[in-house]
Tab-separated table of all heavy atoms in Angstrom:
chain	number	residue	atom	x	y	z
A	33	TYR	N	14.360	-11.913	35.902
A	33	TYR	CA	12.990	-11.421	36.030
A	33	TYR	C	12.056	-12.046	35.007
A	33	TYR	O	10.986	-12.509	35.336
A	33	TYR	CB	12.965	-9.888	35.912
A	33	TYR	CG	11.568	-9.311	35.831
A	33	TYR	CD1	10.800	-9.187	36.991
A	33	TYR	CD2	11.016	-8.924	34.612
A	33	TYR	CE1	9.517	-8.700	36.947
A	33	TYR	CE2	9.748	-8.421	34.565
A	33	TYR	CZ	8.987	-8.281	35.728
A	33	TYR	OH	7.723	-7.782	35.645
A	34	TYR	N	12.485	-12.027	33.760
A	34	TYR	CA	11.648	-12.578	32.699
A	34	TYR	C	11.446	-14.080	32.830
A	34	TYR	O	10.451	-14.630	32.421
A	34	TYR	CB	12.247	-12.250	31.330
A	34	TYR	CG	12.104	-10.815	30.945
A	34	TYR	CD1	13.179	-9.929	31.078
A	34	TYR	CD2	10.902	-10.283	30.501
A	34	TYR	CE1	13.042	-8.580	30.762
A	34	TYR	CE2	10.754	-8.950	30.195
A	34	TYR	CZ	11.828	-8.106	30.318
A	34	TYR	OH	11.681	-6.778	30.006
A	35	ASN	N	12.403	-14.735	33.460
A	35	ASN	CA	12.344	-16.205	33.565
A	35	ASN	C	11.518	-16.662	34.760
A	35	ASN	O	10.862	-17.697	34.721
A	35	ASN	CB	13.747	-16.775	33.672
A	35	ASN	CG	13.799	-18.265	33.465
A	35	ASN	OD1	13.080	-18.790	32.605
A	35	ASN	ND2	14.603	-18.956	34.232
A	36	SER	N	11.520	-15.874	35.840
A	36	SER	CA	10.894	-16.375	37.079
A	36	SER	C	9.748	-15.542	37.609
A	36	SER	O	9.049	-15.997	38.523
A	36	SER	CB	11.986	-16.469	38.177
A	36	SER	OG	12.558	-15.173	38.422
A	37	SER	N	9.541	-14.355	37.089
A	37	SER	CA	8.499	-13.471	37.604
A	37	SER	C	7.115	-14.120	37.482
A	37	SER	O	6.800	-14.752	36.463
A	37	SER	CB	8.502	-12.131	36.909
A	37	SER	OG	7.413	-11.347	37.327
A	38	LYS	N	6.288	-13.935	38.508
A	38	LYS	CA	4.921	-14.423	38.456
A	38	LYS	C	4.028	-13.455	37.662
A	38	LYS	O	2.911	-13.761	37.316
A	38	LYS	CB	4.365	-14.577	39.885
A	38	LYS	CG	5.062	-15.689	40.671
A	38	LYS	CD	4.475	-15.844	42.063
A	38	LYS	CE	5.176	-16.936	42.833
A	38	LYS	NZ	4.628	-17.106	44.200
A	39	GLU	N	4.549	-12.260	37.388
A	39	GLU	CA	3.831	-11.314	36.571
A	39	GLU	C	3.988	-11.684	35.098
A	39	GLU	O	4.691	-12.649	34.746
A	39	GLU	CB	4.421	-9.891	36.778
A	39	GLU	CG	4.240	-9.351	38.165
A	39	GLU	CD	4.814	-7.947	38.279
A	39	GLU	OE1	5.962	-7.766	37.868
A	39	GLU	OE2	4.116	-7.055	38.765
A	40	ARG	N	3.324	-10.939	34.254
A	40	ARG	CA	3.467	-11.152	32.799
A	40	ARG	C	4.306	-10.002	32.251
A	40	ARG	O	3.807	-8.915	32.004
A	40	ARG	CB	2.092	-11.154	32.124
A	40	ARG	CG	1.199	-12.305	32.563
A	40	ARG	CD	-0.126	-12.278	31.833
A	40	ARG	NE	-0.979	-13.383	32.222
A	40	ARG	CZ	-2.196	-13.569	31.738
A	40	ARG	NH1	-2.689	-12.726	30.886
A	40	ARG	NH2	-2.922	-14.588	32.138
A	41	PRO	N	5.596	-10.233	32.072
A	41	PRO	CA	6.481	-9.164	31.590
A	41	PRO	C	6.039	-8.689	30.208
A	41	PRO	O	5.621	-9.473	29.366
A	41	PRO	CB	7.853	-9.821	31.530
A	41	PRO	CG	7.749	-11.005	32.436
A	41	PRO	CD	6.332	-11.494	32.318
A	42	VAL	N	6.174	-7.391	29.982
A	42	VAL	CA	5.827	-6.791	28.692
A	42	VAL	C	7.072	-6.119	28.114
A	42	VAL	O	7.750	-5.363	28.816
A	42	VAL	CB	4.715	-5.756	28.858
A	42	VAL	CG1	4.433	-5.075	27.519
A	42	VAL	CG2	3.452	-6.404	29.393
A	43	VAL	N	7.376	-6.392	26.882
A	43	VAL	CA	8.440	-5.740	26.159
A	43	VAL	C	7.759	-4.843	25.113
A	43	VAL	O	7.012	-5.327	24.294
A	43	VAL	CB	9.392	-6.738	25.450
A	43	VAL	CG1	10.491	-5.989	24.718
A	43	VAL	CG2	9.970	-7.723	26.469
A	44	ARG	N	8.025	-3.547	25.164
A	44	ARG	CA	7.311	-2.656	24.255
A	44	ARG	C	8.270	-1.784	23.458
A	44	ARG	O	9.409	-1.555	23.867
A	44	ARG	CB	6.328	-1.765	25.026
A	44	ARG	CG	6.956	-0.833	26.027
A	44	ARG	CD	5.897	-0.207	26.905
A	44	ARG	NE	6.428	0.589	27.987
A	44	ARG	CZ	6.487	1.933	27.975
A	44	ARG	NH1	6.065	2.594	26.928
A	44	ARG	NH2	6.982	2.568	29.001
A	45	GLY	N	7.793	-1.309	22.312
A	45	GLY	CA	8.598	-0.430	21.488
A	45	GLY	C	8.775	-1.023	20.096
A	45	GLY	O	8.125	-1.979	19.715
A	46	HIS	N	9.624	-0.373	19.294
A	46	HIS	CA	9.881	-0.861	17.942
A	46	HIS	C	10.673	-2.152	17.967
A	46	HIS	O	11.507	-2.363	18.833
A	46	HIS	CB	10.670	0.178	17.141
A	46	HIS	CG	9.970	1.482	17.011
A	46	HIS	ND1	8.810	1.609	16.313
A	46	HIS	CD2	10.248	2.713	17.520
A	46	HIS	CE1	8.404	2.878	16.364
A	46	HIS	NE2	9.245	3.559	17.106
A	47	GLY	N	10.400	-3.046	17.035
A	47	GLY	CA	11.126	-4.300	17.002
A	47	GLY	C	10.725	-5.144	15.817
A	47	GLY	O	9.917	-4.744	14.991
A	48	SER	N	11.282	-6.331	15.762
A	48	SER	CA	10.947	-7.257	14.659
A	48	SER	C	10.239	-8.467	15.258
A	48	SER	O	10.212	-8.684	16.464
A	48	SER	CB	12.224	-7.701	13.930
A	48	SER	OG	13.031	-8.440	14.830
A	49	LEU	N	9.698	-9.279	14.371
A	49	LEU	CA	8.893	-10.410	14.819
A	49	LEU	C	9.722	-11.530	15.464
A	49	LEU	O	9.204	-12.468	16.008
A	49	LEU	CB	8.080	-10.985	13.644
A	49	LEU	CG	6.944	-10.125	13.173
A	49	LEU	CD1	6.246	-10.758	11.985
A	49	LEU	CD2	5.943	-9.896	14.286
Side-chain angles (χ1 to χ4, degrees):
Y33 171 77
Y34 287 101
N35 194 39
S36 60
S37 174
K38 294 181 180 179
E39 295 180 310
R40 296 181 180 179
V42 176
V43 181
R44 62 190 174 102
H46 299 295
S48 65
L49 288 178

